[in-house]
Amino acid sequence: MFQGNLVSITAQQVLVMFLLILVGYLAVRFHILDAGARRSFSSLLVNIVVPAMIVNSYMTAFDPEILANLVRTALVSLGVLVAGLAVALAFTCRMRHPDRPLIRFAITFSNAAYMGFPLIEALFGAEGLLYASIFNTFFNILIWTAGMAILDPKASQGNPLLELAKKPALLAVAVGLALYLGQIPVPALIAQPISLLGAMNTPLSMLITGAIIATSDLRAVIRSGRLWLILVLRMAVIPAVSFLLCMATGTGGMVGAVVILLEACPCAAITSVFAVQFRYDEQLGAGAVVASTLLSIFTLPLCALLVQMMG
């Protein structure tokens, strides 16, 4: 089932991300990039680059022979994502710290698109990416609804449908689904700019993270119990819950492997971006991304071994 060695693929992806973080760090340290630019970069990422990446992920051929697996992927993806949110809410319900929203977000949302998609492509090829796109649909809906409600409670006020319609990423999901389900051809003149903008996703997120680190005292963050709570829940508890859920529903094979591995990825890179945008603890957001990414060198191969045992 696996098309490559997960250990080496994971190590390579993690190294690439750390090198990009290093570039952002050095750019600020050597005054090539102003530290305040991270807010402008964050706005660019959220409003243009992420929507482009989402639309681009749906511009692929539809295969009716795997429709049943697509439906199963949709149901299991929704199940594990909601379970992850439930874990985050349950373990922080008594917390009264002002950064609780950021902590809940970091626990709930994985780095599925930035780190997970390259892994899935290397391991399972085009079919795996199709299942990953289905997971990504529910991931994006959840991150731009429940995720935004967690980070910005004011966003839930007023007309909920109107507020959702203002989210560029959710509009991108709607456009992407229309393109995919309708198999609407997109001219190369339009498809190529969308693809190029979407490809900026990972490097721009990592540059922002590096810029935050350059102006942060991460040693203080590492000593924080809040960071370790995030790491234990994000990197151990939620993957275990996802594995048990797939076992309980009899979801094995490629579908189960894709869903579990995507949910077992480190904290979403956009966590540090939202820490800037919504003015939470930027050091905690960057620390969660960097520390969980480093831990994924060990945790993702372990998840892969469990997936192989599950069959």
Side-chain angles (χ1 to χ4, degrees):
M1 180 173 66
F2 291 93
Q3 295 185 3
N5 184 285
L6 181 61
V7 177
S8 62
I9 293 170
T10 303
Q12 181 177 342
Q13 292 302 320
V14 171
L15 179 59
V16 167
M17 294 179 73
F18 271 106
L19 288 175
L20 290 171
I21 290 172
L22 179 62
V23 171
Y25 175 88
L26 293 176
V28 172
R29 285 295 188 181
F30 287 96
H31 307 291
I32 298 171
L33 182 66
D34 186 274
R38 62 183 184 271
R39 296 195 183 276
S40 298
F41 283 174
S42 299
S43 180
L44 174 66
L45 184 78
V46 170
N47 294 299
I48 297 178
V49 175
V50 170
M53 183 205 69
I54 293 170
V55 172
N56 186 64
S57 71
Y58 286 103
M59 292 193 297
T60 184
F62 177 76
D63 186 351
E65 294 183 1
I66 57 175
L67 180 59
N69 276 345
L70 292 177
V71 174
R72 179 180 295 181
T73 304
L75 294 174
V76 177
S77 296
L78 180 60
V80 299
L81 287 167
V82 171
L85 176 60
V87 167
L89 296 177
F91 279 87
T92 59
C93 62
R94 296 185 179 182
M95 183 182 291
R96 295 294 177 264
H97 196 275
D99 286 311
R100 184 176 75 166
L102 180 68
I103 292 168
R104 286 179 163 177
F105 186 92
I107 293 168
T108 303
F109 297 103
S110 71
N111 204 3
Y114 309 144
M115 187 172 181
F117 270 44
L119 281 174
I120 297 303
E121 183 177 21
L123 293 170
F124 306 113
E127 185 178 348
L129 275 182
L130 187 57
Y131 300 149
S133 294
I134 297 299
F135 178 96
N136 199 46
T137 298
F138 290 97
F139 180 90
N140 281 301
I141 291 173
L142 194 66
I143 202 172
W144 295 102
T145 53
M148 288 298 98
I150 289 171
L151 290 171
D152 185 15
K154 294 179 182 179
S156 61
Q157 299 176 0
N159 188 327
L161 293 178
L162 181 60
E163 291 299 324
L164 289 178
K166 295 178 182 178
K167 306 298 183 186
L170 279 184
L171 291 175
V173 169
V175 171
L177 279 173
L179 293 174
Y180 177 69
L181 295 176
Q183 286 296 284
I184 301 171
V186 179
L189 188 62
I190 297 176
Q192 187 173 2
I194 291 175
S195 176
L196 290 172
L197 283 170
M200 293 172 60
N201 201 355
T202 298
L204 191 56
S205 294
M206 295 298 98
L207 287 174
I208 293 170
T209 301
I212 294 171
I213 292 172
T215 55
S216 301
D217 181 8
L218 286 185
R219 287 179 295 182
V221 177
I222 291 172
R223 293 193 294 267
S224 167
R226 293 185 293 276
L227 174 63
W228 290 102
L229 174 67
I230 292 171
L231 295 178
V232 169
L233 295 179
R234 172 71 260 160
M235 304 306 295
V237 175
I238 288 179
V241 170
S242 302
F243 180 80
L244 292 175
L245 185 59
C246 285
M247 289 287 289
T249 57
T251 306
M254 189 183 297
V255 171
V258 168
V259 171
I260 291 172
L261 290 174
L262 289 176
E263 189 66 349
C265 282
C267 297
I270 206 169
T271 301
S272 58
V273 176
F274 283 150
V276 175
Q277 188 171 24
F278 294 104
R279 301 184 185 279
Y280 290 108
D281 187 342
E282 297 178 11
Q283 296 183 47
L284 179 61
V289 172
V290 174
S292 62
T293 301
L294 181 59
L295 281 177
S296 69
I297 298 174
F298 308 101
T299 58
L300 273 176
L302 178 59
C303 286
L305 290 176
L306 294 174
V307 164
Q308 286 178 312
M309 291 170 60
M310 184 176 69

